[in-house]
């Protein structure tokens, strides 16, 4: 009997230990416990012994006690999940009701981080459930959860905004601030991209926001501050932060060696780059135009241009409702048409496009020169057919060989670097009709670097220009770009019109200069 008690006690300890593991893993099925009991008695035919049957009273008590313990542990897990849910819900109270109001790129970046964090917290619980009715796991399979690549891309978007618009971390976070961990992430992305000045400034920003709950440590930040300053080319600053790091840990031989190396190199170097002042070394006319640095002569020339009501060359559909035509530039001729699409049609195009959007590509495929998502819409949608007819009426060109309407939405720091619209084939894009489907508060202008023209997006308006001269040659002055969106949500629709079918609508010229 004593041997049986010792054996039962040993089995009870083993059983209890296993059940605790089950509780930690949040197993919800009672059948697991039943299986445990069956495993304990495997090989014993209980029905053949009355004595063993009598001991089932003890086994029954043990089973019920274990089940009670299981329920208590499950209740503790539920309490913890509810606490975590409350914390996650508290973080959503400041969100705008209308998704269109997410105009601040920093707020958008924080939303990506938070949703990623929420998903990982919830997935930690739900993935342990063995229930075949685990609905949440099924939902997660179809949910659009931000991936690490999304966070990195968003951070790069913020950095590109800083580079082009010459913004410091405290400038870009003026309306929405980042905590120490979020700023560290942006700095780390910049560091890995060899953008050491921006990395340094973000690490410095993070250092000033360290709190008890921060995951990043002061040692980590001091290390990267020193290393970023060194790679950028400012040894005094690198030495300063290395010394701060050494003061925190005087026994760290690696830091001591690094500090000695920096001091040695400082004696051999005559000058150091200013790491605290942003200087855009690669600044060009495209970037200057995006910043609003328009030549005064260009402004005066634009002021001399005209605007008028147009019937599209006598189109019957425009005789009683002419369009408002404004000449934005004369050579190449760039025309803006105002109020050519209704707010209702704009919303229809957005609603159709949203579930179909995918990463935009250039002729050579997906590249970093274009940061947006887009979709081609055919005339199967009545609103698209109306827009295409409107374009044909205004331009007087045939839409038969034109491409489908191309709807785009730009992301964080969304841009399209300088490019030409013409295609390198036999049926080139003779003209571009660009519709603005939203206003953009800051940034997002369409600029023509070769002629110094900048066009601000205006919802409901469109700009039109010819990419080719009448002789078929590319008009090199039509090189254009979409500036990064600093604040706002930029939607556009492009209609690229091909030269086939335009022979009698825009006659060719034999002159080299036309």
């Amino acid at each position: 009997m004593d041997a049986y008690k010792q054996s039962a006690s040993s089995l009870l300890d083993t059983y209890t230990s296993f059940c605790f593991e089950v509780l930690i893993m949040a197993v919800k099925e009672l059948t697991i416990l039943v299986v445990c009991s069956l495993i304990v008695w495997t090989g014993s035919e209980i029905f053949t012994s009355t004595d063993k049957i009598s001991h089932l009273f003890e086994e029954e008590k043990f089973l019920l006690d274990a089940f009670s313990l299981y329920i208590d542990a499950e209740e503790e897990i539920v309490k913890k999940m509810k606490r975590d849910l409350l914390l996650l819900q508290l973080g959503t109270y400041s969100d705008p009701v209308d998704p269109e109001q997410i105009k601040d790129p920093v707020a958008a970046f924080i939303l990506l981080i938070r949703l990623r964090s929420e998903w990982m917290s919830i997935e930690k619980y739900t993935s342990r459930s063995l229930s075949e009715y685990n609905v949440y796991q099924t939902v997660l399979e179809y949910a659009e959860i931000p991936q690490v690549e999304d966070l990195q891309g968003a951070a790069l978007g913020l950095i590109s905004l800083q580079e082009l618009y010459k913004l410091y971390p405290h400038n870009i976070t003026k309306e929405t601030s980042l905590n120490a961990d979020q700023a560290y992430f942006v700095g780390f992305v910049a560091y890995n991209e060899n953008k050491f000045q921006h990395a340094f400034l973000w690490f410095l920003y993070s250092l000033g926001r360290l709190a008890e709950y921060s995951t990043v440590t002061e040692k980590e930040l001091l290390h990267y501050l020193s290393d970023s300053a060194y790679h950028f080319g400012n040894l005094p600053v690198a030495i300063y932060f290395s010394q701060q790091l050494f003061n925190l840990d005087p026994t760290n031989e690696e830091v001591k060696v690094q500090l000695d190396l920096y001091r040695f190199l400082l004696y051999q170097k005559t000058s150091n780059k200013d790491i605290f002042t942003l200087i855009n070394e690669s600044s060009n006319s495209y970037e200057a135009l995006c910043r609003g640095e328009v030549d005064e002569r260009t402004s005066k020339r634009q002021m001399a241009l005209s605007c008028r009501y147009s019937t599209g060359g006598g189109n019957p559909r425009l005789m009683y409702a002419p369009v408002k035509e404004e000449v934005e530039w004369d050579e190449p001729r760039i025309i803006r048409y105002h109020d050519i699409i209704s707010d209702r049609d704009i919303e229809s195009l957005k609603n159709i496009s949203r579930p179909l959007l995918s990463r935009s590509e250039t002729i050579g495929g997906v590249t970093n020169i274009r940061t947006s998502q887009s979709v081609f819409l055919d005339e199967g949608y009545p609103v698209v057919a109306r827009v295409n007819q409107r374009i044909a009426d205004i331009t007087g060109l045939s839409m038969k060989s034109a491409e489908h309407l191309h709807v785009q939405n730009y992301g964080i720091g969304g841009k399209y670097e300088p490019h030409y619209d013409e295609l390198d084939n036999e049926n080139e894009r003779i003209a571009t009709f660009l519709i603005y489907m939203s206003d953009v508060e800051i940034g997002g202008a369409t600029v023509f670097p070769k002629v110094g023209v900048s066009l601000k997006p205006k919802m409901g308006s469109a700009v039109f220009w010819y990419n080719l001269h009448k002789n078929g040659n590319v008009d090199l002055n039509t090189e254009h770009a979409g500036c990064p969106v600093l604040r706002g949500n930029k939607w556009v629709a492009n209609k690229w019109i091909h030269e086939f079918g335009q022979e009698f609508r825009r006659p060719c010229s034999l002159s080299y200069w036309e």
Side-chain angles (χ1 to χ4, degrees):
M1 188 68 178
D2 291 339
Y4 171 79
K5 287 182 179 179
Q6 290 177 356
S7 176
S9 176
S10 175
L11 287 171
L12 179 61
D13 291 341
T14 303
Y15 189 99
T16 304
S17 175
F18 176 70
C19 286
F20 268 109
E21 285 295 316
V22 171
L23 300 182
I24 293 172
M25 295 175 64
V27 176
K28 302 294 191 296
E29 298 293 333
L30 175 59
T31 52
I32 298 296
L33 291 173
V34 177
V35 170
C36 287
S37 297
L38 294 175
I39 292 174
V40 169
W41 297 105
T42 298
S44 298
E45 296 179 348
I46 300 173
F47 76 96
T48 60
S49 170
T50 303
D51 184 67
K52 286 189 176 182
I53 293 174
S54 67
H55 285 299
L56 290 180
F57 290 110
E58 297 177 15
E59 179 63 22
E60 182 182 38
K61 182 179 182 302
F62 163 77
L63 184 62
L64 295 177
D65 288 343
F67 187 38
S68 176
L69 178 65
Y70 176 84
I71 291 172
D72 291 342
E74 284 292 279
E75 287 177 345
E76 286 300 315
I77 292 175
V78 171
K79 287 179 182 178
K80 187 176 187 309
M81 286 194 289
K82 287 183 175 180
R83 286 196 300 270
D84 287 352
L85 174 62
L86 180 60
L87 291 174
L88 295 175
Q89 288 174 329
L90 287 173
T92 68
Y93 286 161
S94 61
D95 286 349
V97 177
D98 184 1
E100 290 284 338
Q101 297 304 309
I102 302 181
K103 299 178 179 179
D104 180 2
V106 177
F109 173 66
I110 291 175
L111 179 60
L112 288 173
I113 289 181
R114 197 185 71 224
L115 186 55
R116 172 77 181 172
S117 175
E118 287 175 356
W119 172 73
M120 293 183 70
S121 298
I122 296 171
E123 199 269 344
K124 177 180 65 178
Y125 293 112
T126 60
S127 63
R128 295 171 179 170
S129 173
L130 298 182
S131 172
E132 60 179 315
Y133 304 110
N134 188 351
V135 178
Y136 200 87
Q137 278 298 113
T138 304
V139 171
L140 283 180
E141 291 180 8
Y142 297 96
E144 293 187 8
I145 305 298
Q147 303 300 310
V148 175
E149 293 78 8
D150 292 305
L151 305 186
Q152 294 172 337
L156 281 173
L158 294 179
I159 295 164
S160 70
L161 287 172
Q162 289 181 269
E163 289 178 324
L164 194 144
Y165 294 111
K166 298 181 181 179
L167 299 173
Y168 294 87
H170 68 271
N171 295 136
I172 202 169
T173 59
K174 187 176 182 179
E175 295 191 13
T176 307
S177 61
L178 297 180
N179 62 34
D181 293 327
Q182 294 163 346
Y184 170 75
F185 182 86
V186 179
F188 193 71
V189 170
Y191 181 88
N192 286 332
E193 292 291 322
N194 296 328
K195 300 178 185 294
F196 296 113
Q197 184 179 27
H198 287 290
F200 174 86
L201 294 173
W202 277 111
F203 291 139
L204 193 62
Y205 179 96
S206 177
L207 185 65
R209 282 158 179 74
L210 275 178
E212 292 182 6
Y213 60 82
S214 299
T215 303
V216 65
T217 65
E218 184 179 3
K219 285 184 178 180
E220 286 177 299
L221 289 172
L222 291 175
H223 164 72
Y224 280 111
L225 280 165
S226 173
D227 206 44
S228 298
Y230 165 71
H231 285 294
F232 181 73
N234 192 311
L235 285 169
V237 173
I239 291 170
Y240 173 81
F241 284 106
S242 288
Q243 184 63 59
Q244 296 294 313
L245 182 58
F246 186 69
N247 293 343
L248 285 179
D249 185 9
T251 62
N252 192 323
E253 287 296 323
E254 185 178 343
V255 176
K256 185 177 183 301
V257 170
Q258 186 182 57
L259 193 55
D260 291 339
L261 173 63
Y262 290 168
R263 285 170 176 161
F264 172 76
L265 293 174
L266 182 62
Y267 287 116
Q268 300 180 338
K269 194 167 184 178
T270 57
S271 63
N272 291 279
K273 297 167 68 176
D274 182 2
I275 198 169
F276 295 99
T277 304
L278 289 176
I279 299 176
N280 195 338
E281 297 178 350
S282 62
S283 183
N284 52 43
S285 58
Y286 151 63
E287 295 175 347
L289 285 170
C290 287
R291 290 192 294 268
E293 300 169 8
V294 179
D295 191 292
E296 185 178 347
R297 291 171 298 179
T298 300
S299 298
K300 288 182 178 179
R301 185 169 169 179
Q302 283 182 307
M303 290 175 64
L305 300 175
S306 62
C307 56
R308 65 191 180 100
Y309 283 101
S310 171
T311 61
N315 189 294
R317 294 187 183 88
L318 301 179
M319 292 299 291
Y320 294 102
V323 292
K324 303 170 186 174
E325 179 183 288
E326 178 184 3
V327 181
E328 293 280 9
W329 198 247
D330 54 355
E331 189 58 43
R333 191 172 179 81
I334 304 171
I335 307 294
R336 187 193 292 262
Y337 297 99
H338 295 271
D339 305 322
I340 61 104
I341 182 172
S342 67
D343 292 351
R344 181 178 179 180
D345 281 350
I346 286 175
E347 284 307 309
S348 295
L349 288 173
K350 288 180 181 179
N351 291 333
I352 293 169
S353 301
R354 283 189 177 101
L356 305 173
L357 292 172
S358 61
R359 179 68 186 270
S360 298
E361 297 186 8
T362 60
I363 296 173
V366 174
T367 68
N368 290 329
I369 72 168
R370 191 178 195 175
T371 314
S372 67
Q373 292 201 359
S374 61
V375 60
F376 282 97
L377 301 179
D378 60 36
E379 289 198 353
Y381 301 99
V383 63
V384 175
R386 287 197 301 273
V387 170
N388 286 345
Q389 184 61 60
R390 184 75 164 160
I391 296 172
D393 292 341
I394 292 172
T395 63
L397 297 176
S398 171
M399 297 294 113
K400 290 183 179 179
S401 64
E403 297 173 41
H404 292 316
L405 192 68
H406 187 239
V407 178
Q408 295 182 82
N409 179 230
Y410 287 80
I412 297 176
K415 63 180 180 180
Y416 195 174
E417 293 184 3
H419 64 282
Y420 293 98
D421 278 350
E422 95 292 341
L423 294 172
D424 187 19
N425 57 36
E426 295 180 358
N427 193 17
E428 294 179 336
R429 295 168 172 170
I430 189 175
T432 297
F433 197 92
L434 173 62
I435 302 171
Y436 296 113
M437 301 201 302
S438 67
D439 294 315
V440 179
E441 293 181 28
I442 307 175
T446 303
V447 298
F448 292 77
K450 297 289 178 66
V451 293
V453 174
S454 176
L455 307 177
K456 184 177 175 60
K458 183 181 178 183
M459 183 173 171
S461 72
V463 290
F464 171 74
W465 68 88
Y466 283 102
N467 298 304
L468 305 178
H469 291 294
K470 287 186 176 182
N471 62 10
N473 292 332
V474 176
D475 187 341
L476 298 179
N477 286 331
T478 62
E479 181 190 46
H480 59 285
C483 297
V485 178
L486 182 55
R487 181 173 177 79
N489 188 357
K490 184 180 178 182
W491 284 86
V492 298
N494 277 293
K495 189 68 175 178
W496 288 300
I497 305 166
H498 286 214
E499 63 180 347
F500 180 78
Q502 317 302 341
E503 294 83 356
F504 300 104
R505 298 170 185 263
R506 193 194 189 221
C508 299
S509 171
L510 298 178
S511 172
Y512 179 83
W513 306 106
E514 294 184 6

